[in-house]
Amino acid sequence: MSSRETKTDVILIGAGIMSATLGTLLKELVPEIKITVYENLPSAGEESSNEWNNAGTGHAALCELNYTNEKPDGSIDISKAIKINEQFQVSMQFWSYLVNNNLIKNPEDFITTLPHMSMVQGEDNVTFLKKRFKALSKNPLFKGMDFSDDPEKLLEWLPLIMQERSSDKPIAATKADAGTDVNFGALTRMLFDHLKTKNVDIKYKHSVDNIKRTSDGAWDLKVKNHESGSVEQHSANFVFIGAGGGSLHLLQKSGIPEGKQIGGFPVSGYFMVCNNPDVVAQHHAKVYGKAKVGAPPMSVPHLDTRYIDNEKSLLFGPFAGFSPKFLKSGSMFDLLNSIKPNNVLTMMAAGAKEMSLTKYLIQQVMLSKEQRMEELREFIPNAKTDDWDLVVAGQRVQVIKDTEAGGKGTLQFGTEVVSAADGSIAALLGASPGASSAVHVMLEVITRCFPEQLEEWEPKIKEMIPSYGVSLMENPKLLEEIHTTTAQALGLTKKELVSGL
């Protein structure tokens, strides 16, 4: 077993959408920067970023009902929806910059226009959806959204869902033609192909086993080369841990105080995939429903048209599962190994508080295929069991931490950056909206970790992202310009994208 030492400027751990985005941003800002990427698997985008392991929704809060909560007074809080929509606009601008500058090509291979719809059943839910629609449609970010509770209009919008449906329950939907389907696996691979041309050293089949601070303030990584079996020492002044579920273990090994009192809870997912092309052809939208009472936010059911390998497919889910692994390719001991003296009380508190989640997961794991089909039939009344297969989606690790609002051991459902006080190391934890907000989140990493260079870099950032530092909601003219330019660059339908503006 041999050992060798190398030094570079930046090390990115994990070849997913986050590392791909951060590497691309840094190379645009500092072309001469030296970057090395370490990925445990044989290729890029194989875990959370893979097209089969995420929803493929360009999360812009157009259809996801869990981003708009009903307040005790009956009004609808749209603040989270605004935030997520603005974050997705940042991603769209950056992708457009890359296409316009020939840094990536053929955007149709990773993004396409696809209506985003919310659909609910029952009088109370229809009332909620109508209020949500009124609240959102007043905002420039959501102009062009339509609402209907007319069965004939809904049959036009949702033929597969409305066929053979009994009329005993009120039903309503909203429709936003500005939605997108995004193949984040394809985009991740495109970005890493681009980074190779910029002399970024990408090491597949290399796992980072340990991270330690050196006396000069740099970070020393112990890296195992799975092909040769050798253990290598590599160091850098800045390290980004973008290893999906594997990030928590590495953050803990770094020893930074910001990484203490944080735990992780793994949740796996399953989707039903339609194998009948005639059924697939009858649906053309991403349709999100409402989570059942007591179910966690990640359980929101949706019937999604997806484009994978440029082929139209139809998926329904997610159904939750449980595995102690933090990655699909991880170890059965991942959860156990993440429990440390500094987070054990946080984890125990979460266990006591989240009994309903535990019960929900047990119920989900025990579902038979026919029981899953019954849930699908709430969307497609005449769905035939033989037309659908079950596939395993990705692992997600929900962050558990102590918060002021939730107290000790609070389960978080978002995407979270944890960084050292001096900005020399940062890790990404959590799940949705994840990949859709990758550009916004990586700009947050840059802001936190490179504050001294920010003033110098700002003109270039604004060239890549014209709305940088600006609220699009408060600047409708800029919003319309950005909708027009991103639609043109990414090959999206202008009429659909800016409908109503």
Side-chain angles (χ1 to χ4, degrees):
M1 186 181 288
S2 63
S3 178
R4 64 187 180 89
E5 291 190 22
T6 63
K7 178 81 186 273
T8 189
D9 297 323
V10 171
I11 287 176
L12 308 175
I13 304 173
I17 187 65
M18 295 296 177
S19 291
T21 301
L22 181 57
T24 306
L25 282 166
L26 287 173
K27 268 292 178 183
E28 288 304 293
L29 295 169
V30 191
E32 67 276 12
I33 199 168
K34 290 179 183 173
I35 300 176
T36 304
V37 183
Y38 295 107
E39 168 57 54
N40 187 38
L41 297 176
S43 56
E46 288 303 310
E47 277 280 355
S48 299
S49 304
N50 187 269
E51 47 268 47
W52 288 105
N53 293 343
N54 68 60
T57 301
H59 285 296
L62 299 171
C63 58
E64 307 91 332
L65 298 175
N66 54 316
Y67 295 151
T68 46
N69 295 323
E70 190 166 6
K71 294 194 274 194
D73 66 359
S75 63
I76 306 296
D77 180 2
I78 65 168
S79 57
K80 191 172 183 182
I82 289 166
K83 184 172 142 190
I84 286 168
N85 189 292
E86 294 244 13
Q87 289 178 4
F88 187 62
Q89 303 293 343
V90 169
S91 290
M92 295 276 276
Q93 290 169 73
F94 182 58
W95 300 338
S96 299
Y97 166 84
L98 296 175
V99 170
N100 287 336
N101 288 276
N102 292 313
L103 304 178
I104 60 173
K105 294 180 172 64
N106 305 322
E108 67 277 7
D109 290 344
F110 78 87
I111 189 167
T112 188
T113 308
L114 191 70
H116 282 195
M117 302 182 67
S118 306
M119 185 202 79
V120 298
Q121 300 178 66
E123 203 168 310
D124 289 347
N125 288 334
V126 169
T127 301
F128 163 78
L129 189 66
K130 194 176 284 186
K131 285 196 291 188
R132 176 184 182 270
F133 166 70
K134 282 181 180 172
L136 288 177
S137 56
K138 289 175 191 168
N139 190 295
L141 293 166
F142 300 94
K143 277 189 177 175
M145 184 182 280
D146 290 325
F147 170 90
S148 182
D149 53 8
D150 173 13
E152 284 192 26
K153 173 58 78 173
L154 295 176
L155 180 64
E156 182 188 313
W157 285 358
L158 296 162
L160 187 63
I161 286 173
M162 295 302 293
Q163 282 166 21
E164 298 181 36
R165 181 174 289 280
S166 67
S167 56
D168 60 343
K169 209 188 272 188
I171 185 167
T174 55
K175 181 169 179 272
D177 289 322
T180 52
D181 177 64
V182 186
N183 184 329
F184 287 105
L187 176 59
T188 300
R189 293 186 289 272
M190 281 183 190
L191 291 175
F192 275 108
D193 285 345
H194 159 67
L195 287 173
K196 272 186 214 164
T197 69
K198 298 290 182 181
N199 299 316
V200 171
D201 195 4
I202 305 166
K203 304 281 193 184
Y204 296 111
K205 299 184 185 175
H206 281 67
S207 61
V208 177
D209 293 344
N210 207 1
I211 306 179
K212 283 185 180 173
R213 198 73 188 261
T214 61
S215 57
D216 65 353
W219 290 95
D220 192 51
L221 277 62
K222 182 180 167 189
V223 181
K224 184 168 184 182
N225 180 332
H226 291 290
E227 287 195 311
S228 68
S230 64
V231 175
E232 304 161 0
Q233 299 295 126
H234 301 283
S235 64
N237 294 322
F238 173 72
V239 175
F240 172 69
I241 307 171
S247 291
L248 179 59
H249 285 143
L250 292 169
L251 176 64
Q252 290 173 335
K253 286 176 179 178
S254 75
I256 62 170
E258 294 82 1
K260 299 186 189 302
Q261 283 90 45
I262 294 177
F265 186 79
V267 178
S268 59
Y270 298 88
F271 277 91
M272 304 292 287
V273 180
C274 186
N275 59 40
N276 184 335
D278 293 337
V279 175
V280 174
Q282 293 176 60
H283 187 77
H284 189 74
K286 289 183 179 292
V287 182
Y288 276 58
K290 207 162 187 257
K292 290 183 177 174
V293 176
M298 74 279 232
S299 68
V300 174
H302 41 101
L303 180 68
D304 280 10
T305 296
R306 298 277 306 275
Y307 287 90
I308 297 175
D309 297 329
N310 292 318
E311 275 192 25
K312 191 177 182 183
S313 56
L314 184 59
L315 285 77
F316 175 77
F319 298 95
F322 177 76
S323 162
K325 292 180 177 184
F326 278 10
L327 293 163
K328 280 178 86 170
S329 60
S331 159
M332 296 299 280
F333 296 101
D334 282 345
L335 178 57
L336 188 63
N337 290 338
S338 74
I339 300 171
K340 308 291 180 189
N342 67 65
N343 72 1
V344 66
L345 293 177
T346 299
M347 295 288 282
M348 287 171 67
K353 284 163 76 170
E354 298 294 343
M355 292 304 292
S356 60
L357 175 60
T358 306
K359 183 183 173 188
Y360 169 78
L361 289 174
I362 291 168
Q363 289 171 339
Q364 289 276 294
V365 169
M366 300 297 287
L367 289 176
S368 65
K369 182 178 179 183
E370 200 48 44
Q371 286 171 315
R372 289 189 171 101
M373 288 301 300
E374 284 307 309
E375 292 204 20
L376 170 58
R377 287 184 188 115
E378 290 186 19
F379 276 71
I380 308 174
N382 61 357
K384 295 179 175 59
T385 305
D386 289 348
D387 288 345
W388 296 82
D389 301 314
L390 189 68
V391 299
V392 181
Q395 284 285 113
R396 298 287 183 270
V397 178
Q398 308 295 150
V399 176
I400 296 171
K401 68 176 194 175
D402 306 336
T403 67
E404 274 187 39
K408 200 158 193 68
T410 303
L411 194 65
Q412 308 289 102
F413 290 102
T415 304
E416 196 150 334
V417 174
V418 179
S419 58
D422 68 353
S424 62
I425 189 167
L428 187 83
L429 306 173
S432 185
S436 294
S437 59
V439 183
H440 166 84
V441 175
M442 291 304 98
L443 284 172
E444 183 186 337
V445 169
I446 286 170
T447 302
R448 283 197 203 183
C449 299
F450 300 90
E452 291 171 9
Q453 291 96 321
L454 212 55
E455 190 177 339
E456 180 193 339
W457 292 351
E458 192 170 301
K460 183 65 180 180
I461 295 174
K462 285 183 173 174
E463 182 192 334
M464 296 188 285
I465 298 139
S467 73
Y468 179 70
V470 174
S471 164
L472 285 172
M473 180 184 79
E474 293 168 9
N475 290 271
K477 190 178 176 191
L478 178 61
L479 174 64
E480 186 169 355
E481 281 173 22
I482 284 167
H483 274 161
T484 303
T485 54
T486 55
Q488 191 173 9
L490 299 173
L492 305 173
T493 310
K494 164 79 161 50
K495 173 182 163 290
E496 290 175 333
L497 200 65
V498 296
S499 167
L501 285 175

